Every structure is written in C-alpha cells, then in structure tokens.
Amino acid sequence: MKLVNIWLLLLVVLLCGKKHLGDRLEKKPFDKAPCPGCSHLTVKVEFSSTVVEYEYIVAFNGYFTAKARNSFISSALKSSEVDNWRIIPRNNPSSDYPSDFEVIQIKEQQKAGLLTLEDHPNIKRVTPQRKVFRSLKLAETDTLTPCNETQWSQKWQSSRPLRRASLSLGSGFWHATGRHSSRRLLRAIPRQVAQTLQADVLWQMGYTGANVRVAVFDTGLSEKHPHFKNVKERTNWTNERTLDDGLGHGTFVAGVIASMRECQGFAPDAELHIFRVFTNNQVSYTSWFLDAFNYAILKKIDVLNLSIGGPDFMDHPFVDKVWELTANNVIMVSAIGNDGPLYGLSPSYIDLTECPYMWPYCSQPIYYGGMPTIVNVTILNGMGVTGRIVDKPDWQPYLPQNGDNIEVAFSYSSVLWPWSGYLAISISVTKKAASWEGIAQGHVMITVASPAETESKNGAEQTSTVKLPVKVKIIPTPPRSKRVLWDQYHNLRYPPGYFPRDNLRMKNDPLDWNGDHIHTNFRDMYQHLRSMGYFVEVLGAPFTCFDATQYGTLLMVDSEEEYFPEEITKLRRDVDNGLSLVIFSDWYNTSVMRKVKFYDENTRQWWMPDTGGANIPALNELLSVWNMGFSDGLYEGEFALANHDMYYASGCSIARFPEDGIVITQTFKDQGLEVLKQETAVVENVPILGLYQIAAEGGGRIVLYGDSNCLDDSHRQKDCFWLLDALLQYTSYGVTPPSLSHSGNRQRPPSGVGLAAPERMEGNHLHRYSKVLEAHLGAPKPRPLPACPHLSWAKPQPLNETAPSNLWKHQKLLSIDLDKVVLPNFRSNRPQVRPLSPGESSAWDIPGGIMPGRYNQEVGQTIPVFAFLGAMVVLAFFVVQINKAKSRPKRRKPRVKRPQLMQQVHLPKTPSV
Amino acid sequence: MVNLAAILWRRLLRKRWVLALVFGLSLVYFLSSTFKQEERAVRDRNLLQIQDHDQPIPWKVQFNLGNSSRPSNQCRNSIQGKHLITDELGYVCERKDLLASGCCDSSVPSTKQYCCDGCLANGCCGAYEYCVSCCLQPSKQLLLERFLNRAAVAFQNLFLAVEDHFELCLAKCRTSSQSVQHENTYRDPIAKYCYGESPPELFPA
C-alpha cells in the first residue's frame, strides 16, 4: 500500500456541513426539512471547468528535462508543418526538475498538430487545457416544510448544467483575472489555501470544526507541533516505536485540516486524533488498519481521513471494514490518487455524448446490435444507513426526443447499505432505429425509502425520488468489416492471483494488474482503432454469447484464461463462416515462471505465477484445429518490419503454422536463457507473425503475433498500431499487406514436428481465479458453461412531452458575493488564529486530566523543569568542590611548571643554533 | 594576536570552573533528554510492542448487567447492521423492529435475546449481531475477563478505552488483525466475528 497525497476539499464540505446531520453523506441535494434554530441556508460547493482555447497539455511517457520536452514537441510539430505554437512557461519551483508534461499553445492547424503530437513515441497523450472553478453558494431551502414530516418527496435536479462551459462565469472573484489566464490565476492565489477556497466564509458562519472529531490516518504527528492546539490523542499502530512523523506527510495532512498558525487549515477548531498507521518508509499492512479502524469506531470519530490508494479491491477484510466504518457514521475521506484527470466529481446525469467528461462513453456512439452500454450509478442515500428502492426504477423516454429508440435494463442493490447502493443501467438501441441517426433522451426515476429514524412510530418510512436524465447518440449499425470485438472474458487481472508482467525487463512492476481492457492499459490502441474508423465492442461473456455474423474481427490480446470446450467448437464454426481472428499472444515458459516467483511484502507470502504473460497451452488448444500453435520460447530484441522500428519484449514464437500461410521471422535474443542462466544467445529465424486464410468458401482469416507489449500502454516502448492496422485490413477486407507478403523476412511456415507442445505448469492455482476452471481431484476441469447474460428490458413509460430545456440547469442558488454576504447566525467564534509573535510561547492550554498513554502537555512541560533543578544541584556541588580545592594547599605542580617543561624541551635545540 | 587568543583560550580551558560548567551543561542536556525519552516511552500506545508483561493492565470495564444502571428506556445498539441490529440488552431484531428508543421491540416473535445463532464452539459467529448478542450473555463474563487479562495484551489501545460489557462485546466481535491471513484474506470467511479468546480457525484453502 502506498501513500498518496490528498485533496481535502470534500472533507471540508463534510466537516462544515456536519451540523446538518441528516445531510452527512449526501452529495446530491436531498434537502432536508429545516428545523427551528437551524440555518435556512445551505452551503453548496460547486465545481466547473472550461476548456482553454488553443491550449493543450502534452503528457509524456516519462520525466524529461525542459530541453528534451521542447525538442520532442518541436520535432513532432515540424513534421506536420505547424509553426505558430509556443510552450507556455510555468514559473514554479519545480520547473528546474524533469517533468512529465508541458502546456502548449497552438493557434493553427490544431487537429493535424495534435494528431502528430499524439503519434510521437515519447508523448503519452494530448488533452485540452482546462480551467477549474470552485465556488461556494448559499441555497435557500424551503422554509415552509415542517420539521417532523417524514413523507417527503423532492423534485430532483442535477447540480451540473449541460454545458459546463456556460456555467456561472459571470460572477465571483475567481473570474476577475480573465478567461484565458489560468496560470496567472494560479499565481494570484493567496498563500493561504483555506482563504483561497473561501473557508473563512464558513468560519464566519460558525463552522470551524468545533466539536468534530477528525482522525488522521497517516505517518503520525510530532508532539507539541506549534501549529496545532487541539490534538486530542496520538496512537501508533505500526511496528515502529514512535508517534512522531518522520516523513512529513502526516504533518502536512493534519495541517491542511486543522493548522492554527502560518498556513491555516480548513477546520482549525476540529479535534484531531492522530493514528500513525504508516511507518516512515510508508509501509503499512491491512491488519494494522483493521485494529486502528476498530479504535476509531469506538472513539466515535466523525470524519476519518485516509491517505491511501491501492489496486487491491479484492482485499475483503479491508473493504468490509470500510463499509463497517461508514455504517457506524464515520465519514471516510480517502485519497483518489496523485494523478488522473480533473473530473473526479461524479455528475448526476448520464450524458453519453459529453466529451471528455464521459469518456469512454462519448468516444463511440451506440447502434442497434451492439453490446449494451452499461453505466454504473452510485445511489447515495442520506436518509439512513439502510434503504431500499421502492418497486422498480422507471424508464421514461421522451417521445419528442426519440427516447423510444433506446431500451434500458436495470440491476440494483436489494438493500442500500451502508448509506449507498448501486444501480447498473444497460442501454441498447431498439431494432426500429437500426438505420437511424440522432440523439435520444429520457430519464430514469427511482424512489428510495429508508426507515424514519426520528419517528416514534414503528415501521414509518421516509422516501425520496430522484430523476436521472439520460442522453445518448445513436448511429446506423456499421458494416461488419468495421466492427471489432475485443475479448475481455479471457483476460484476467491481478487481484488476487499472480499474473506476471508481459515484459520481463520491467522488474519493479511485477504484476499485470491493469485488467487488459481497452479503456485501461489498451486505451491508446482503442483510440487509434477509433480514429481509423473501427467500432470496438467489448465481449464480457464466453464466445458462445456473441453473434459472429455481426463482427469482422475478434481481437484477443494477452489472454490468460482457459476456454470452455463449447467455446472452442463455436469459434471454429464462426471462423469457417467468415469471422476473422487476430491473436496477440505473450510468453509462457514454466521454468521462467518458477524463476519469477517473489515474496510479497503486502501479503507476506510467496507468489508463484499462475500463467505466463499469456496462457499459451490454452490458446494452443483453441488453435489446434487449424494446425497452429505457439511455442514456449522466450525472445527479445529490436527489429525493423516494413520500414517500422519494432521492439519484441518478452514474446513467444509460432511453433507451427499451415503450409499455405504467410510467416515472418526475425533474429532475436533468447531471453529465457538470459533469465534462467544469465547467458546470451542469439536465435535466428524466430517465427513471430503468421497470416492465414481459411480455405473454405467464405471462411475468415487468422493472424497470430507473439508479443502484446507493443499494444499495451503500461510498458510499451515502440507501438505497433501500424501493424494492427495492416492486420485488420487483412482480416476485415482480405487485403494482404504487400509489405508483409513480400517481406524479405518471409519464411516457410514451421511444421512444429519434433517440438514438444508447451504444457501447463504443474500445481498452478489458475482455477482459483478462473471463470472457466474449477478444482477437481487431479487436474482442474472446466465448469459447466454459464448461461449467457440476459437483460430484461424495463417497460418504458413514454412521456409525450419535450425534455425540459433546463434538465441539467442548476437549482436557483444564491451566489456568494464576497463583499456583501448576508450571513445568517453571524457568530464571532472565528477560530483564534493569529501569527506567532516573536518571543511568544507556543504552548497552548490543553484541558487537563492525565489519561494513561494520552498525549498530555502538562507532564511534558514539567520534565525540563525537574531536569534543570537537578542540574543546578549538580552545578552547586561542583562550585563547592572548586572552592574547597582553592582553599586547600596545592599539592600538584604549580601551573608555571609546564612552560618550564616546554623550555626544557626547547633548550637542547638552542645551543645548536 | 592569534597567539594571544590561543593562550587565553588554553588558560581559560584549564580553569576548573570552566570545565565544571561544561560538564554541568552536558549533564543537564543528558538528563533532560533522557527524562524526555522515558516519558515518551510511557506515552507511546504501541500496538505491537508491550512494555510490561508482568503488570496487569488497568482495565476499566464494568460488568454492569442490571437494568438499573441504564438511564430511562434508551438503548445503545450496534448501529451498523444491514438487516439485523443488537441492543445493549442483548436482543437481536430486524431493523424494522427497532424502536425509536434504540431498543429492539422484544414483543416481536423474531426478536431474540442472547442469541448465538451461527456461532461455533470456538466463539466465532457468522453474523456480527449474533456475536454481540451471544457475547452479552451473563455467562460469558468470565471468558471475557480471562481474555482481557491475557490474550488482549496486544490490543491495549482498543480495550483500554472500552468501558462496559456492551462496548467490550461491540469491540471484541469486530474483525481485526486476528481475523486475517496473508493480510488480504479472512482466516475463516464464514465465521469471522469472534467473542472468544482464539482467532477464527484457519479456513482450508
């Protein structure tokens, strides 16, 4: 587990909103009926962002110096003959160090320029520069609703407008610096982050964090840090014997929350409970967290900040504990990570046309016959820790907006617990819109019911209704040749098994844990295929569950899963009937697999891989009918193919291929030998690429390639998207690329005679993580073939009305004008924050009571006093001793004697002069 | 000039009171930092390292089982449950049978007191609510006291802060560092909530 820096905006909102107890976990405004004495104004935080014209963020593959970044960009832009561009200088202390991004301004030929930039090998992606606004608003709640009414329903409206660019740009001090000047804006930010984010407005309203218990799960905090006055307790849960922060992360986080001095925190009066759960080396274990979390529940912590991020969502003990905390009314604020796009806030509408906010949905319109698009909606229920969806969610298409052209299916949590649940919405196009193009709209209505907590009567419920707008773009079904199906079902991922990396050189990243999905580590490949006009769909079910007549090519990359016998039979039939197959395999060598086992610090056990980079024995079973197969060889090397530089990173070779196929070979290093024996050997004529046309009438084509790293974003050094293009031309249209068929590297296909087929590693645990295998006495066997996913479409309740034009418009809100804020309940309980004047002691009064082991400053301050007194006694003793010695007759040699001695030493020398 | 300074310095150094002063100051520093360190060691609430094995831990748990100590008819309860909830009297009920007072409605037939459904002989249960209810049985008091005096030394932080039988059962039944193997899997994914002294049985892989 590793530490990540955090952004505590949400925490502040929650902290400050704590007085509205019922609203604690809501993000969506289920506004509660106000109670007498409560404020009638609610504070809302709003984010918006706008694209800055002509400005783009260029992200690189690694960290480069300013000079290198400049040369990459200029070389890329020179090739597309774009001259009118410049790098926008960033003047901050980090500009002396290598960076992984650059902000550029292009004023002409932007599209061409951006495309060439994205093709540059060192450039990861180019995104438009965005400017983010945050503003606080006061919303007037309906004052007429009585407090104790339990049956309340509320018309829901999204908190995000449709076009975020048009959002409330006119007002607020954020916009004073001008529209295209985000960097100037950043420089204009006052040094105090709390003021910048308008925390002082909340302080004036009395929300200073007083009486809120905040737990900081981090690297600890040193005793008597002068910036904190309200540290209630420090506890240590690590194996290091200290409570202090030896790293600084914990101090920083605590400072953002509750610092009193210098740079003020957001909630200076909050009661801090410091939990030291990370060592100074940022190590921590689930078990430490479990015990610390239990203590936080016992201590009735209100808000818990956790600076941790990790990929192991299958860590059930940890995940269950987080739910338990939430169910016990602990608000957990967790780090989202140090990277990633700005759009972290979930919108409350489903607009699949909105780019890039709704990426990847917005990257491909939907059409009849395509795999259903699934949107996962999280329902946050502020009414109670448990709740339920009343009846079923309703689908209400707007007939004038062609809402009847889509079908919608739901699956959802039977109980919303803790405070939340899921609603999965599958969207598909109806048959009658198979050749229709346009936008379809509608909305989903759900009613959530929770037990009334304040009501004395048994079984009373409170309900709330939410309307979720849906907007999708529909196109006519593309031709078969344009449709590519990505096989996701046979890709496995890290939690909880060990699926080793595909590039054995990447030693510090041992696991293949990105899931191998077109929206994660194959994103660049997906974007490339989209830009080439292909439509890519994802198969999340066995091969028996798709209609092969719809697709030109089935793309299988780096597959680790096994295959059901029924799948193998069905795929053979499909290929005979015209489906083409492109397989990018990877290495599989049992000796190397045994070699790359490692001791995992997080789970404290040895990890042995369950497959190689790909599962070649399984793939070979799938391919055997066509007389094809991969070997368990392991090769690495650079080469050129059709004038493209290529890199083969830990790939396998083709062991056998039909006589009449096209096979390309290369000369490589034997990486298996290198890993196992640290010896270098060069192997010539390694078959790496094979193309084959099924002989039968109307049969498909099959392409094999031995390495997937050139498509994978995670460790890619040189991409082979050009090769994928050429191969898809071949599989989809039957055009044999001449650069390959007439290549000098073309060799006779290997017959595989005399080669032993790769065997599965004995004793592997693939069946534990496999959807196909199950454990048996002896070898694992395939499970019974699961039923294909079946969606039951919700019965539409068509609305013969036009979608409200203000569907996404924000509620009427009272924007804060900082000059003339009319503040309710103005109290003068601003936190007493003042700069430390010179000479002033930094000691604070801490309410007394010496608790065992509790941080207590009174004791701390008395120690030096005792020590000083003791030392004075010692000193007095010495003074008396000296005085005695002076009064005594001197027995030692007088002090003058030494110079005499010195003279004696020097004397013999003088005569010689 | 330099010579003069050197001589002066040498002479000054040789004065005993100067040496004594230097010694004294060093002593002050030594004493103060030692004191400080000792004090910190006492203040450390360290999970994995125990200072004294011999000294009994000053538990403040009160086993007050009579209704008399409870103010009015209000109950504390286990708060978190998805379907079930346990109140401090040991009643387990469905969430819908929870009264506004926080107590379970004991008149409903499905509500049970001191219920050990799904609990194994080793003191581990399949549901948190039944674990708490079972743990609240008056007869479990001896077991809990024994646990507090022995096994729980590693959990000082938690159990030093527990004040009564109900809080102890709430805290004891939760999954903890004792519930996991390899950090990310439960020792026993079925019966993982334990009021007893021993951790869950290691589930056969």
Side-chain angles (χ1 to χ4, degrees):
Chain A
M1 297 180 177
K2 64 181 186 194
L3 273 176
V4 282
N5 287 327
I6 52 138
W7 197 235
L8 284 155
L9 295 174
L10 189 59
L11 170 67
V12 182
V13 182
L14 294 167
L15 265 181
C16 302
K18 210 232 154 193
K19 290 195 175 160
H20 302 268
L21 271 176
D23 298 350
R24 289 176 78 171
L25 270 171
E26 300 171 305
K27 248 198 240 168
K28 293 175 186 171
F30 291 95
D31 284 347
K32 254 210 148 157
C35 298
C38 290
S39 152
H40 290 172
L41 292 177
T42 322
V43 173
K44 298 249 158 63
V45 187
E46 191 175 280
F47 289 85
S48 64
S49 67
T50 51
V51 173
V52 181
E53 232 180 322
Y54 306 126
E55 290 185 11
Y56 298 90
I57 299 170
V58 181
F60 298 93
N61 287 330
Y63 286 79
F64 300 100
T65 57
K67 212 172 146 190
R69 295 195 307 264
N70 192 345
S71 74
F72 292 153
I73 294 172
S74 53
S75 71
L77 288 178
K78 202 173 278 172
S79 62
S80 67
E81 292 171 351
V82 177
D83 294 323
N84 196 354
W85 66 275
R86 68 186 186 97
I87 288 176
I88 290 167
R90 287 174 282 140
N91 291 327
N92 54 40
S94 69
S95 48
D96 298 338
Y97 299 95
S99 167
D100 63 344
F101 77 99
E102 195 72 87
V103 182
I104 60 164
Q105 191 181 51
I106 306 185
K107 293 228 165 163
E108 52 158 39
Q109 296 174 336
Q110 288 165 17
K111 211 162 183 187
L114 295 183
L115 279 177
T116 45
L117 272 178
E118 285 199 322
D119 283 347
H120 191 277
N122 290 104
I123 290 173
K124 197 155 79 182
R125 63 174 168 268
V126 183
T127 44
Q129 161 86 315
R130 298 186 82 86
K131 182 167 145 187
V132 178
F133 306 100
R134 174 190 177 277
S135 51
L136 288 184
K137 312 250 179 183
L138 292 181
E140 192 114 25
T141 49
D142 193 352
T143 50
L144 294 173
T145 327
C147 257
N148 52 357
E149 182 162 316
T150 51
Q151 193 70 31
W152 50 278
S153 169
Q154 185 242 330
K155 280 273 182 253
W156 176 88
Q157 274 177 310
S158 160
S159 60
R160 293 187 79 91
L162 171 60
R163 268 183 297 278
R164 282 172 294 138
S166 68
L167 186 126
S168 63
L169 279 173
S171 65
F173 82 114
W174 285 103
H175 317 119
T177 46
R179 200 181 141 86
H180 302 302
S181 57
S182 50
R183 272 151 313 283
R184 241 191 300 144
L185 176 68
L186 287 176
R187 258 184 257 131
I189 284 178
R191 290 180 63 87
Q192 305 246 327
V193 68
Q195 266 88 357
T196 308
L197 296 173
Q198 293 166 298
D200 44 352
V201 175
L202 296 171
W203 294 342
Q204 284 177 30
M205 293 167 65
Y207 301 109
T208 58
N211 300 321
V212 180
R213 286 182 286 270
V214 181
V216 182
F217 275 57
D218 218 298
T219 53
L221 182 67
S222 30
E223 177 187 28
K224 281 191 249 169
H225 193 290
H227 292 179
F228 304 97
K229 74 156 186 186
N230 211 357
V231 178
K232 195 79 179 174
E233 186 180 35
R234 300 188 303 153
T235 48
N236 176 34
W237 304 86
T238 69
N239 56 4
E240 286 180 341
R241 213 188 146 122
T242 176
L243 288 160
D244 294 342
D245 179 11
L247 192 71
H249 194 279
T251 311
F252 170 77
V253 170
V256 175
I257 296 171
S259 168
M260 294 293 293
R261 299 200 179 271
E262 311 276 331
C263 182
Q264 290 163 234
F266 288 96
D269 287 348
E271 203 175 84
L272 281 182
H273 294 247
I274 306 295
F275 287 69
R276 190 170 186 276
V277 286
F278 289 97
T279 65
N280 288 335
N281 297 324
Q282 308 184 23
V283 174
S284 99
Y285 294 104
T286 296
S287 56
W288 297 353
F289 275 99
L290 296 180
D291 292 338
F293 281 147
N294 285 345
Y295 190 63
I297 296 177
L298 185 74
K299 284 281 160 180
K300 299 197 164 55
I301 294 295
D302 294 305
V303 181
L304 191 156
N305 182 73
L306 187 62
S307 308
I308 185 178
D312 194 354
F313 59 90
M314 294 293 277
D315 184 347
H316 286 297
F318 189 89
V319 174
D320 289 349
K321 189 56 78 179
V322 170
W323 287 354
E324 189 178 331
L325 279 162
T326 310
N328 280 287
N329 300 331
V330 180
I331 297 171
M332 278 210 41
V333 182
S334 184
I336 193 170
N338 290 333
D339 42 24
L342 288 167
Y343 10 95
L345 290 176
S346 306
S348 28
Y349 54 84
I350 302 171
D351 181 355
L352 301 190
T353 63
E354 191 184 20
C355 251
Y357 198 88
M358 280 290 188
W359 199 93
Y361 296 115
C362 67
S363 63
Q364 185 170 294
I366 64 172
Y367 42 83
Y368 171 69
M371 295 285 168
T373 296
I374 303 170
V375 183
N376 190 9
V377 179
T378 301
I379 304 167
L380 297 177
N381 169 27
M383 295 183 292
V385 63
T386 61
R388 65 188 173 89
I389 291 180
V390 181
D391 298 326
K392 280 180 186 168
D394 288 326
W395 163 236
Q396 302 185 321
Y398 300 124
L399 293 181
Q401 262 83 26
N402 309 301
D404 54 335
N405 283 341
I406 48 177
E407 290 178 302
V408 166
F410 302 108
S411 67
Y412 49 91
S413 333
S414 53
V415 180
L416 308 180
W417 179 93
W419 304 94
S420 59
Y422 72 85
L423 168 67
I425 306 178
S426 305
I427 304 170
S428 202
V429 179
T430 54
K431 192 172 183 184
K432 72 180 174 103
S435 53
W436 183 78
E437 178 163 357
I439 304 278
Q441 291 189 54
H443 66 237
V444 173
M445 283 270 252
I446 58 165
T447 301
V448 174
S450 268
E453 282 179 12
T454 49
E455 198 67 13
S456 56
K457 203 178 74 196
N458 239 2
E461 278 192 329
Q462 42 186 345
T463 60
S464 176
T465 301
V466 169
K467 199 197 261 183
L468 186 64
V470 175
K471 183 181 176 190
V472 296
K473 179 164 199 272
I474 298 173
I475 56 162
T477 307
R480 182 182 186 183
S481 56
K482 283 272 173 211
R483 291 175 67 180
V484 175
L485 189 62
W486 170 267
D487 173 28
Q488 190 64 41
Y489 190 75
H490 298 93
N491 287 350
L492 296 176
R493 61 186 162 193
Y494 145 71
Y498 175 16
F499 305 107
R501 60 195 180 267
D502 302 322
N503 181 346
L504 286 167
R505 291 226 174 273
M506 301 295 152
K507 289 195 175 146
N508 47 9
D509 191 8
L511 300 168
D512 189 4
W513 57 15
N514 289 309
D516 288 348
H517 192 280
I518 54 168
H519 300 154
T520 59
N521 54 324
F522 287 92
R523 180 193 149 122
D524 291 353
M525 182 211 72
Y526 167 70
Q527 291 285 52
H528 180 81
L529 289 180
R530 286 294 300 131
S531 70
M532 298 306 288
Y534 290 101
F535 292 85
V536 189
E537 293 171 38
V538 175
L539 177 68
F543 290 154
T544 49
C545 299
F546 77 97
D547 175 9
T549 59
Q550 299 275 322
Y551 302 95
T553 306
L554 175 67
L555 186 52
M556 297 170 64
V557 179
D558 193 20
S559 309
E560 289 103 354
E561 180 64 285
E562 297 279 334
Y563 303 89
F564 291 107
E566 295 90 340
E567 286 186 287
I568 297 177
T569 323
K570 199 248 181 186
L571 195 67
R572 282 171 191 171
R573 209 169 50 234
D574 287 344
V575 172
D576 284 342
N577 292 329
L579 178 74
S580 289
L581 212 53
V582 174
I583 299 179
F584 278 73
S585 175
D586 221 295
W587 66 273
Y588 187 99
N589 183 297
T590 49
S591 314
V592 173
M593 282 157 68
R594 287 196 188 89
K595 184 88 179 175
V596 296
K597 72 171 184 183
F598 72 99
Y599 185 75
D600 178 27
E601 291 273 337
N602 283 323
T603 60
R604 309 187 209 208
Q605 62 180 329
W606 280 97
W607 280 38
M608 179 76 90
D610 296 312
T611 70
N615 190 348
I616 283 182
L619 275 172
N620 283 351
E621 278 178 14
L622 188 75
L623 296 169
S624 60
V625 71
W626 299 297
N627 190 28
M628 293 176 189
F630 291 104
S631 76
D632 63 356
L634 181 48
Y635 304 99
E636 186 225 351
E638 304 211 344
F639 63 102
L641 189 60
N643 296 324
H644 290 270
D645 284 336
M646 299 279 283
Y647 176 61
Y648 210 68
S650 312
C652 66
S653 67
I654 296 171
R656 62 193 176 115
F657 209 74
E659 276 282 296
D660 45 345
I662 300 168
V663 166
I664 304 287
T665 63
Q666 291 294 336
T667 301
F668 287 132
K669 261 196 307 199
D670 187 337
Q671 201 180 19
L673 207 64
E674 196 182 319
V675 171
L676 295 171
K677 295 182 182 158
Q678 282 78 48
E679 289 170 21
T680 317
V682 172
V683 188
E684 289 189 351
N685 292 333
V686 179
I688 54 165
L689 176 67
L691 294 87
Y692 177 68
Q693 165 77 55
I694 298 290
E697 172 75 27
R701 285 158 286 270
I702 299 176
V703 173
L704 306 184
Y705 186 71
D707 181 32
S708 69
N709 284 289
C710 61
L711 297 178
D712 187 338
D713 299 353
S714 16
H715 301 145
R716 188 176 57 229
Q717 287 166 16
K718 293 188 174 96
D719 77 64
C720 57
F721 299 148
W722 71 271
L723 179 66
L724 185 61
D725 288 342
L727 299 179
L728 284 176
Q729 281 283 318
Y730 175 69
T731 57
S732 296
Y733 302 100
V735 180
T736 312
S739 57
L740 298 179
S741 58
H742 297 93
S743 164
N745 295 105
R746 186 169 168 182
Q747 300 277 344
R748 239 179 94 84
S751 64
V753 177
L755 272 177
E759 294 286 332
R760 291 179 178 83
M761 189 164 75
E762 245 176 79
N764 74 72
H765 296 130
L766 184 62
H767 61 271
R768 286 191 196 161
Y769 320 109
S770 167
K771 300 180 281 275
V772 176
L773 294 181
E774 63 185 353
H776 268 270
L777 283 176
K781 290 196 177 107
R783 300 163 192 269
L785 183 73
C788 290
H790 173 73
L791 294 172
S792 54
W793 303 111
K795 195 170 178 293
Q797 302 168 354
L799 298 178
N800 200 2
E801 57 186 65
T802 314
S805 57
N806 64 344
L807 197 61
W808 283 281
K809 213 173 131 189
H810 205 277
Q811 295 177 330
K812 268 252 179 286
L813 292 174
L814 175 67
S815 182
I816 290 183
D817 187 342
L818 282 187
D819 294 329
K820 37 183 177 180
V821 189
V822 189
L823 290 165
N825 311 340
F826 185 92
R827 281 178 247 156
S828 58
N829 56 350
R830 278 197 66 170
Q832 290 161 0
V833 187
R834 61 214 160 94
L836 200 64
S837 50
E840 187 187 2
S841 150
S842 63
W844 292 86
D845 295 331
I846 287 199
I850 303 173
M851 299 291 284
R854 192 150 307 183
Y855 171 61
N856 194 305
Q857 214 143 11
E858 276 172 37
V859 179
Q861 278 172 340
T862 51
I863 310 162
V865 177
F866 281 128
F868 184 70
L869 285 177
M872 289 314 279
V873 171
V874 173
L875 205 68
F877 171 77
F878 273 99
V879 169
V880 171
Q881 284 289 310
I882 288 166
N883 279 343
K884 267 187 191 169
K886 270 186 182 168
S887 57
R888 232 178 278 158
K890 288 168 191 170
R891 257 179 279 153
R892 290 187 197 171
K893 290 166 189 171
R895 214 166 280 159
V896 277
K897 206 160 184 183
R898 195 120 179 229
Q900 278 174 354
L901 263 175
M902 300 263 285
Q903 276 169 13
Q904 277 168 8
V905 174
H906 286 282
L907 272 175
K909 278 187 178 174
T910 25
S912 71
V913 172
Chain B
M1 192 64 191
V2 178
N3 258 350
L4 194 75
I7 287 168
L8 206 80
W9 177 238
R10 230 182 277 149
R11 293 217 170 145
L12 205 67
L13 260 187
R14 254 179 235 122
K15 293 223 161 110
R16 265 193 225 183
W17 67 268
V18 174
L19 289 174
L21 190 73
V22 169
F23 176 73
L25 287 175
S26 313
L27 197 72
V28 171
Y29 177 75
F30 168 74
L31 284 176
S32 67
S33 58
T34 314
F35 262 108
K36 210 170 161 186
Q37 213 131 57
E38 271 173 17
E39 187 56 38
R40 181 168 301 160
V42 174
R43 260 208 308 279
D44 262 12
R45 309 186 83 190
N46 212 315
L47 172 71
L48 298 174
Q49 292 162 350
I50 304 105
Q51 284 92 37
D52 298 303
H53 282 277
D54 310 326
Q55 280 200 342
I57 299 144
W59 310 113
K60 47 182 177 175
V61 180
Q62 303 280 314
F63 289 97
N64 253 344
L65 285 164
N67 290 5
S68 52
S69 64
R70 257 177 349 104
S72 69
N73 294 327
Q74 297 292 312
C75 291
R76 290 171 294 163
N77 60 44
S78 60
I79 305 171
Q80 63 183 60
K82 187 172 185 176
H83 302 286
L84 298 173
I85 221 151
T86 306
D87 69 13
E88 63 180 307
L89 300 173
Y91 285 103
V92 186
C93 59
E94 289 180 34
R95 262 195 172 273
K96 65 173 171 58
D97 299 325
L98 191 68
L99 302 171
S101 61
C103 304
C104 280
D105 186 351
S106 54
S107 63
V108 175
S110 61
T111 302
K112 294 176 203 157
Q113 195 178 21
Y114 304 138
C115 176
C116 295
D117 281 6
C119 294
L120 308 176
N122 65 355
C124 292
C125 309
Y128 176 71
E129 284 71 22
Y130 288 126
C131 176
V132 176
S133 177
C134 195
C135 167
L136 281 170
Q137 283 182 354
S139 60
K140 296 286 189 295
Q141 194 177 321
L142 259 175
L143 177 80
L144 291 170
E145 276 172 357
R146 207 164 58 222
F147 165 77
L148 283 181
N149 289 328
R150 289 191 311 184
V153 189
F155 292 98
Q156 274 191 48
N157 274 346
L158 183 64
F159 292 108
L160 270 174
V162 162
E163 290 187 349
D164 63 9
H165 193 175
F166 180 63
E167 278 192 0
L168 177 60
C169 287
L170 282 184
K172 183 68 192 72
C173 280
R174 297 191 194 284
T175 56
S176 71
S177 55
Q178 300 295 297
S179 319
V180 293
Q181 65 156 335
H182 304 316
E183 299 291 329
N184 64 355
T185 37
Y186 287 117
R187 287 172 66 87
D188 181 350
I190 313 285
K192 50 181 175 276
Y193 308 104
C194 304
Y195 60 82
E197 289 174 277
S198 48
E201 300 277 336
L202 199 55
F203 190 73

